[in-house]
Each structure stands twice: as C-alpha cells, then as structure tokens.
Amino acid sequence: MAQLIDGKLISQQIKDELKEEVAQFKAEGIDICLAVIQVGSDPASSVYVRNKKKACAYIGVESRSYELPEETSEEELIKLVEELNADESVNGILVQLPVPDHIDEDKIIRTISPDKDVDGFHPVSVGRLWIGEKGFLSCTPAGIIQLLKRSNISIEGKECVIIGRSNIVGKPMAALLLRENGTVTVAHSRTKDLKEVAKRADILIVAIGKERFITSEYIKEGAVVIDVGMHRDEANHLCGDVDFADVEPHSSAITPVPGGVGPMTIAMLMNNCVETVRK
Ligand code: NAP
C-alpha cells in the first residue's frame, strides 16, 4: 500500500511552529498584520478568505479585512493597495483572486509592494524565485515541497514531471523542484505522448484542473504522486485531478483529496506572513 501523504497533519505542524515563532516576535514587541481584500461576495472566495483569517488568528497574526462591493472600480482598488503599501503597520497584502472582470488582475498584482507580496505572485517575487534569491514563494508549490520533505521523500536527482504550466502552480513548481536539484519536465495541453512523459516520473505533480484525469496508465510503478486538483464530482464528493482508487496501488506515496495539497496552501501563506518580519 502507498504511503498516504497527510497534508492536514503536516500543515498543522507548520502552523504550530509558526505560532511559536509569532509568539517570540510578539515578546520582542513585533506584531504581524495581514491586510485581506475581497472584492464582491463570490461564495468560494468568501470561504477561502474566512479560512485565511482563521489561520491568521490561530498563529497570532492580525488580519485586517477589507470587504469591498462588486462595483468597486480598478482605481479605487489600486488606491487602497497603495495606501496599504505605505502603511507601516501592515506587513502583508492579499487580494483574493479572482477579482471581478472589470478589474485587471495583473495590474492589481503589480501594484502590491514586492515587500508585502505574501501570495508571491508579483513579477519581482517570481524573478527572485527563478534566480534563487530569497523572497516570497508561491504558496501551493512551496507547500508541495514541504509535503515531500516532511514525508522524507528526497527530490535530488529524481525525475520530476509536472503536468500543468499555470503561473500559480506549474511554473513556480518547476523552479522550486529545480532548486531542490530535481530533473524537471513541465507538460501541458500540447505535450505529445503525455502518458509516456508522465511515466518517466519518479515524482509526478498533477495540476491540470480536470477531474480524475490521471489514471494508472500515466504512472510508473512506485512513483510519488502529488494531486493539486480540487473538484466536486457528480455525487458531490471532493476529488482531484488523479483517479485516486486506480493510481494509489501503483504509487509508493500519494496525496489524498481532500487533505493533501489543499491545507498546505494556507499554511505556506502564513509562513510568508511571518517571513515579512524575519531577518
Ligand atoms: P490552470 O490555470 O487551468 O492550468 C491548467 C494547466 O493544465 C494548463 O497549463 C493546461 O495546459 C494544462 N492542461 C489542461 N488540460 C490538459 C491535458 N489534457 N493534458 C495536459 N495538460 C493539460 O489550472 P491551475 O490554476 O494550475 O489549477 C490546476 C488545478 O489545481 C485546479 O483543479 C485547481 O482548482 C487546483 N488548485 C488547487 C490549489 C490548492 O491549494 N489545492 C491551488 C491552486 C490550484 P495549457 O497551458 O497548454 O493550456
């Protein structure tokens, strides 16, 4: 049977470590504050924002909420972000994505000061990641590295195949696996012979956004499989991009959905909040 990589447990360990670190900072008179901006009231976004604020409360970071109406203009949002950039009592700024269609998401991301970019989406953060400079790491891929390390799965020298090349998962994942000395392949919708490419992987990371797409036909016997996908199937069950029941018997370690990658994203966001005050 495959080792189940327990994201719930590992994310809890990380949050507990951060809680201690935050308490030490508080004892030195250093408080951490995260500004959380939500535009509109998309129900999924509201759940994410609530969970982020809960995690802040747990580790002892203040979350300052800005709930703006759907019709907020791009100029108004930019003005708020600029004010928060200048506010010394605010350490990190998070704008919950997606923003409504009339607002240019890229413009908002670029307005956030790179020093407060806890999501790690600003081009400066992305550039630092690729050249190996210290900076804010994109939360989901950083969480995956923690899942692997804390499950004693070594990356160095391994064939790592990522399926998906989004800016928030696939691309930063490639940079982080390279940093850990993995041999990295990034596959996408134009990749030829995807099954053959996937079968090269010692570590397969799947971020396609298609329900139970990856079956055992894509898996080398004994591979480690990390499933980033998150869906609700017809029976209203949560599931990933990987067909867990089919793939699990062929893997040496695998993340479940839910309880795998999902909880790690918020834990790493909290880590980035604490990073704002680390020397
Ligand atoms: P995305 O922006 O939609 O990107 C999907 C990627 O998959 C694209 O690069 C696309 O290729 C590739 N792809 C699509 N169909 C393919 C196919 N048939 N064969 C090979 N590649 C294919 O998705 P994302 O934002 O990275 O998210 C991926 C999944 O992860 C979603 O289910 C999302 O909900 C989930 N997610 C979870 C978390 C978490 O915290 N757990 C965080 C982020 C995302 P092209 O570039 O060629 O179009």
Side-chain angles (χ1 to χ4, degrees), residues 87-277:
D87 184 341
E88 285 181 6
S89 69
V90 170
N91 301 82
I93 302 171
L94 183 145
V95 179
Q96 183 62 45
L97 301 176
V99 286
D101 287 346
H102 64 275
I103 298 176
D104 181 345
E105 189 170 293
D106 286 339
K107 219 167 164 181
I108 302 304
I109 290 172
R110 281 160 205 263
T111 305
I112 297 173
S113 159
D115 294 331
K116 300 190 179 188
D117 175 38
V118 286
D119 260 334
F121 293 159
H122 193 287
V124 169
S125 301
V126 176
R128 285 181 177 149
L129 165 63
W130 278 101
I131 63 173
E133 247 181 37
K134 220 168 142 45
F136 295 111
L137 303 179
S138 191
C139 299
T140 302
I144 291 170
I145 297 290
Q146 286 301 313
L147 280 181
L148 293 169
K149 285 190 170 173
R150 289 174 186 246
S151 304
N152 296 317
I153 295 165
S154 79
I155 301 167
E156 181 157 330
K158 298 279 174 66
E159 286 285 343
C160 304
V161 177
I162 304 159
I163 312 183
R165 56 174 164 179
S166 69
N167 286 339
I168 60 166
V169 186
K171 285 179 195 159
M173 191 75 249
L176 285 174
L177 288 167
L178 267 181
R179 205 186 247 198
E180 298 295 331
N181 299 316
T183 302
V184 181
T185 303
V186 183
H188 44 79
S189 67
R190 314 287 172 87
T191 296
K192 290 204 178 91
D193 299 327
L194 184 63
K195 283 182 187 165
E196 289 315 306
V197 173
K199 271 191 153 166
R200 293 209 296 259
D202 300 312
I203 299 174
L204 181 67
I205 313 244
V206 187
I208 308 180
K210 292 192 170 147
E211 186 182 314
R212 296 193 178 101
F213 183 91
I214 296 296
T215 61
S216 55
E217 292 177 354
Y218 291 77
I219 308 294
K220 176 167 83 176
E221 210 58 36
V224 172
V225 180
I226 305 289
D227 187 354
V228 185
M230 178 65 87
H231 313 275
R232 251 183 213 286
D233 68 10
E234 277 184 350
N236 206 29
H237 292 138
L238 285 172
C239 68
D241 289 348
V242 173
D243 184 339
F244 185 91
D246 187 34
V247 167
E248 187 267 345
H250 300 278
S251 61
S252 59
I254 185 166
T255 54
V257 176
V261 173
M264 295 302 293
T265 302
I266 290 187
M268 299 319 288
L269 173 70
M270 293 302 108
N271 184 60
N272 279 347
C273 289
V274 180
E275 183 66 23
T276 60
V277 295

Side-chain angles (χ1 to χ4, degrees), residues 45-120:
S45 290
S46 299
V47 172
Y48 288 130
V49 164
R50 206 164 43 242
N51 288 339
K52 288 169 187 177
K53 290 199 279 199
K54 235 168 84 182
C56 283
Y58 183 78
I59 70 161
V61 164
E62 180 199 345
S63 59
R64 210 174 286 172
S65 235
Y66 297 85
E67 286 162 22
L68 309 180
E70 180 85 21
E71 56 279 7
T72 303
S73 69
E74 188 175 282
E75 292 69 31
E76 285 168 320
L77 182 56
I78 287 176
K79 188 167 168 281
L80 172 61
V81 172
E82 283 172 344
E83 280 166 15
L84 294 169
N85 281 342
D87 184 341
E88 285 181 6
S89 69
V90 170
N91 301 82
I93 302 171
L94 183 145
V95 179
Q96 183 62 45
L97 301 176
V99 286
D101 287 346
H102 64 275
I103 298 176
D104 181 345
E105 189 170 293
D106 286 339
K107 219 167 164 181
I108 302 304
I109 290 172
R110 281 160 205 263
T111 305
I112 297 173
S113 159
D115 294 331
K116 300 190 179 188
D117 175 38
V118 286
D119 260 334

Side-chain angles (χ1 to χ4, degrees), residues 30-54:
I30 300 168
D31 291 319
I32 306 172
C33 171
L34 173 67
V36 182
I37 305 173
Q38 184 181 358
V39 186
S41 52
D42 171 62
S45 290
S46 299
V47 172
Y48 288 130
V49 164
R50 206 164 43 242
N51 288 339
K52 288 169 187 177
K53 290 199 279 199
K54 235 168 84 182

